[in-house]
Amino acid sequence: MTALLRRAPLVLPLLTVIIALAVATDSFLTGANIENVLVAAGIVALPGLAMTFCLAMGEFDLSVGSTVSLAGVVCCSALIAGRPLAVAMALALVVGAVIGLANGLVVTKLGVTPFIATLATLVIVRGVALAYSDGHDQIISSAGLKYLVGGRPLGVPMPIVLVAVATAAAWWAMNRTRFGRWVCAIGSNREAARVSGLPVDRIRIAVYTLVGIAGGAWGLLISSQLQKGNGQLGLGFELDAITVVVIGGTALLGGRASIVGTVLGAVLIETIRNGLNLLNTPPAYQRISVGLLLIAALALKGLRRADTTVVPTAREATS
Amino acid sequence: MKTSLGRLWDTWGITAILLLLLAVAPVVTPDFFSLDNAQSVLRESAYLGIVAAGMTFAIASGAFDLSVGGQLALCSVVSLMGYAAGGTALAVAAALATGLACGLVNASLITRLRVPPFVATLGTLFVFRGVAYILTQDGPKTLPYDQIGSPFVKIGGLDVAGLPLPFLIMLAVYGAAWVLLRRTATGRRVLAYGSSPEAARFCGISPTRLRFFVFALVGVSVGIAALTYITRVWTADGSAQDGFELKVIAAVVLGGTSLKGGKGTLIGTFSAVLLVSVLNDMLVSQGVPSAYQRIVLGGVLIIALTIDGLRTRFAAPGSLRRAVTGLGGRTPKPGLAR
């Protein structure tokens, strides 16, 4: 049990929240509601998984929120123009990949710090999405796209199937492949990784591209849910994606990553949101609780570390 | 070795670009230097500029404050509530006190609970905005429209000798900030801590006190900015100025303050703020849709930072050796955004 808690420190808070909500509300522990929570968690966890690689590398991608809107707009307008569903979905993913690739190239080849580079693409991509959609909703009614969120192969909601597959793939890539080890190596000491002969720039570009594709997929899920694309969708999503990763225990400075933690982080956040909804708490309190959760997750870690290290290292102090 | 030309560019580069832009501005916008237009550009730049002055200290010390958007919303709402309850004096006091309180909360989380600034201020961004939402649950706080004669409203609308009062406040803030950063021991401590926290600690600089000072400074600057903001737009709620934090950080970095800490330039920040406002004005006057304005501004940001990135890469000591051995890239430095 202690080993499990050490590896997945979110299990205990999650159980506490679940028990509290089961006692406080009648409707929390119903099958339909739990499914709602898991579907919502799956949708946030999907980009969170890609973002885990980025944070493990010690970098961020702030641009995913805009990728969501541009991918959604591109997919929906393609559907409106009568293109087949497969083409529309592929276009959205390609848009994501191109944005990610651009981020990677700007960060590695032009030497712009990730924070600013992805901040700039955040602004630019949203501009493109607004210009492309002319500020209007691209309303669609596509049963095929709806299947992405509403479908139930073998009775299991589609987002849960998707995120299960993605989690397995991400876990395998992070823990069982050279790629995962390289990502963490770059995160813990980039210069050492470079000197050891790792193709640092190529790995960074690959990770940014991965995050871009995940952003595109996120856009597809959101458009599937709302049956529309819009240049304003996804505002502030970038912080959501980073939040689930950080709550999940991936080190902000890189070098360590927890795929399972990211998924649990998404489940924890969505459980709390769902519980607050059931308790009829206004949305403002939901923001506050997500903020407090974020601080608490890192404060607990900081206090634990305070027992062992008297003097924080330079990197910890500057972060 | 950095040449003296390079050092000159560090401080004045963005100012040079600004002057160039000002020279071109009348060609693009015939009435650019008309009193009305110039005044509105300066008035608009004030609240961004004032917060950017505070943020320059935070970034120079190697941290950034993502919560300023939430702080601005909260300060504005509380200040408008103060005005409703007790007039101008209470409104001003409420804005400043709220900003200070937000800064102290951030600093406490960072120093006492050891939460990294990025996460602590990301968390408080949600929290501050959330509190502002709760306070405005029965509708946004507004200034009543029959209050045009009140001294509070004049903060945003008054012109002194042709210059908008918000801009004069911004000038005063920059003057004070420049003295603080360049002419006092505290300013040197901020820069020393930013360039090497470890070395600074061994020299007897207290990280805790420094953090409190810097984040309180950001909070107070937001309080001042909130005053110029609400007396201009007359209303505020939890969603006021969504995305503000990123604009502020972008302006500071565009001005030449290093995200890695240890380097801060208020002249640069000031010029960058004006540059963004002037550019915005030119785009608006050309009838460029707001969607394309974003694209241009984002592009400017990347270009400016690319020039900076390339310059640092080739000016860094050992760049020749790295160029020869193929181990390109910049020397790793401590800091978040590596």
Side-chain angles (χ1 to χ4, degrees):
Chain A
M1 187 69 186
T2 42
L4 177 70
L5 283 182
R6 196 155 6 94
R7 287 177 60 94
L10 286 184
V11 170
L12 207 55
L14 190 57
L15 285 177
T16 317
V17 172
I18 290 175
I19 292 170
L21 286 174
V23 174
T25 69
D26 302 330
S27 40
F28 180 74
L29 275 188
T30 59
N33 189 57
I34 289 177
E35 192 185 295
N36 282 344
V37 173
L38 291 180
V39 166
I43 292 176
V44 192
L46 201 63
L49 289 170
M51 196 65 95
T52 308
F53 284 85
C54 199
L55 270 100
M57 216 164 57
E59 301 182 20
F60 301 99
D61 187 342
L62 288 177
S63 67
V64 279
S66 296
T67 309
V68 165
S69 62
L70 184 58
V73 164
V74 166
C75 171
C76 291
S77 58
L79 286 174
I80 291 171
R83 306 248 181 285
L85 179 66
V87 172
M89 287 172 62
L91 274 177
L93 295 178
V94 168
V95 162
V98 169
I99 297 169
L101 185 65
N103 279 332
L105 290 175
V106 170
V107 165
T108 54
K109 302 300 176 202
L110 300 181
V112 180
T113 50
F115 185 92
I116 296 294
T118 58
L119 174 59
T121 37
L122 168 82
V123 178
I124 294 174
V125 171
R126 187 165 301 287
V128 174
L130 284 170
Y132 193 82
S133 65
D134 212 9
H136 297 306
D137 278 352
Q138 316 270 312
I139 298 166
I140 51 162
S141 147
S142 160
L145 190 61
K146 188 82 192 165
Y147 189 76
L148 216 48
V149 166
R152 313 176 65 92
L154 302 175
V156 184
M158 193 63 185
I160 298 178
V161 175
L162 287 176
V163 83
V165 173
T167 306
W171 189 88
W172 177 77
M174 184 63 91
N175 298 302
R176 291 284 179 272
T177 67
R178 228 167 33 168
F179 178 71
R181 275 199 304 280
W182 283 356
V183 165
C184 286
I186 294 173
S188 59
N189 188 334
R190 191 194 302 165
E191 205 56 20
R194 198 191 304 277
V195 174
S196 319
L198 300 192
V200 172
D201 281 0
R202 251 187 295 156
I203 296 170
R204 293 172 76 201
I205 294 172
V207 169
Y208 279 102
T209 311
L210 191 69
V211 177
I213 294 172
W218 201 5
L220 284 176
L221 288 172
I222 300 292
S223 292
S224 154
Q225 209 169 26
L226 304 177
Q227 290 286 297
K228 69 173 182 183
N230 177 314
Q232 297 288 4
L233 287 182
L235 269 179
F237 276 27
E238 54 282 349
L239 298 185
D240 275 5
I242 293 176
T243 302
V244 295
V245 182
V246 171
I247 288 180
T250 293
L252 201 55
L253 290 172
R256 227 154 17 86
S258 167
I259 294 288
V260 177
T262 297
V263 176
L264 287 178
V267 174
L268 179 59
I269 284 192
E270 291 305 333
T271 307
I272 290 176
R273 279 194 185 144
N274 176 274
L276 292 171
N277 266 335
L278 293 182
L279 296 169
N280 284 325
T281 332
Y285 291 94
Q286 300 182 21
R287 278 167 172 266
I288 295 184
S289 54
V290 170
L292 291 178
L293 184 66
L294 192 60
I295 294 168
L298 273 271
L300 288 176
K301 198 186 285 176
L303 291 178
R304 267 209 310 275
R305 198 178 54 206
D307 298 337
T308 47
T309 36
V310 182
V311 179
T313 65
R315 262 182 48 197
E316 284 163 345
T318 41
S319 63
Chain B
M1 278 306 288
K2 197 172 265 185
T3 58
S4 59
L5 196 67
R7 216 172 298 133
L8 209 61
W9 173 258
D10 275 352
T11 320
W12 296 101
I14 195 81
T15 316
I17 297 176
L18 172 67
L19 292 176
L20 207 68
L21 197 65
L22 284 178
V24 188
V27 182
V28 183
T29 317
D31 69 338
F32 182 81
F33 284 112
S34 76
L35 194 60
D36 265 3
N37 191 60
Q39 278 179 344
S40 96
V41 171
L42 294 179
R43 210 187 296 278
E44 275 307 318
S45 60
Y47 58 87
L48 178 67
I50 293 169
V51 179
M55 188 71 86
T56 305
F57 283 82
I59 295 183
S61 81
F64 44 66
D65 187 342
L66 283 177
S67 71
V68 285
Q71 292 184 33
L72 188 78
L74 187 57
C75 286
S76 304
V77 167
V78 174
S79 178
L80 286 170
M81 289 167 73
Y83 184 75
T88 304
L90 194 57
V92 173
L96 298 179
T98 309
L100 181 63
C102 291
L104 296 182
V105 167
N106 282 334
S108 307
L109 293 174
I110 294 162
T111 58
R112 303 292 173 214
L113 298 182
R114 297 195 179 215
V115 185
F118 182 90
V119 179
T121 57
L122 178 57
T124 52
L125 170 66
F126 289 116
V127 174
F128 295 153
R129 265 197 202 286
V131 175
Y133 271 117
I134 290 170
L135 292 176
T136 54
Q137 239 157 26
D138 47 351
K141 300 288 172 204
T142 49
L143 273 176
Y145 275 92
D146 54 2
Q147 302 276 312
I148 292 179
S150 102
F152 185 59
V153 171
K154 287 204 175 110
I155 297 177
L158 197 70
D159 296 319
V160 179
L163 288 171
L165 186 57
F167 179 69
L168 292 176
I169 296 175
M170 174 174 154
L171 276 184
V173 165
Y174 273 88
W178 188 85
V179 170
L180 192 58
L181 188 65
R182 292 283 158 209
R183 290 284 177 269
T184 67
T186 311
R188 279 197 296 278
R189 286 195 193 107
V190 168
L191 292 171
Y193 190 79
S195 74
S196 170
E198 204 125 12
R201 221 178 19 247
F202 284 126
C203 297
I205 294 173
S206 150
T208 307
R209 271 166 57 188
L210 192 100
R211 293 281 199 222
F212 266 94
F213 171 76
V214 166
F215 281 91
L217 202 63
V218 174
V220 172
S221 71
V222 175
I224 301 172
L227 291 173
T228 68
Y229 174 70
I230 42 177
T231 50
R232 181 123 173 77
V233 301
W234 289 52
T235 175
D237 65 2
S239 66
Q241 287 289 315
D242 222 353
F244 185 61
E245 51 284 343
L246 299 185
K247 275 187 217 161
V248 173
I249 295 174
V252 174
V253 174
L254 191 60
T257 295
S258 167
L259 265 183
K260 298 183 178 104
K263 199 163 77 101
T265 149
L266 287 158
I267 297 163
T269 304
F270 184 80
S271 303
V273 167
L274 288 186
L275 182 80
V276 172
S277 302
V278 170
L279 203 58
N280 233 339
D281 182 67
M282 286 167 64
L283 294 172
V284 172
S285 77
Q286 286 299 294
V288 176
S290 69
Y292 294 92
Q293 293 174 23
R294 291 164 187 265
I295 300 177
V296 173
L297 290 176
V300 168
L301 198 60
I302 289 196
I303 292 168
L305 269 287
T306 302
I307 294 171
D308 193 56
L310 294 178
R311 202 174 44 73
T312 337
R313 181 176 297 184
F314 291 114
S319 62
L320 183 65
R321 178 175 53 80
R322 273 202 303 278
V324 172
T325 55
L327 301 171
R330 287 183 280 172
T331 4
K333 279 186 194 158
L336 181 65
R338 282 165 304 149

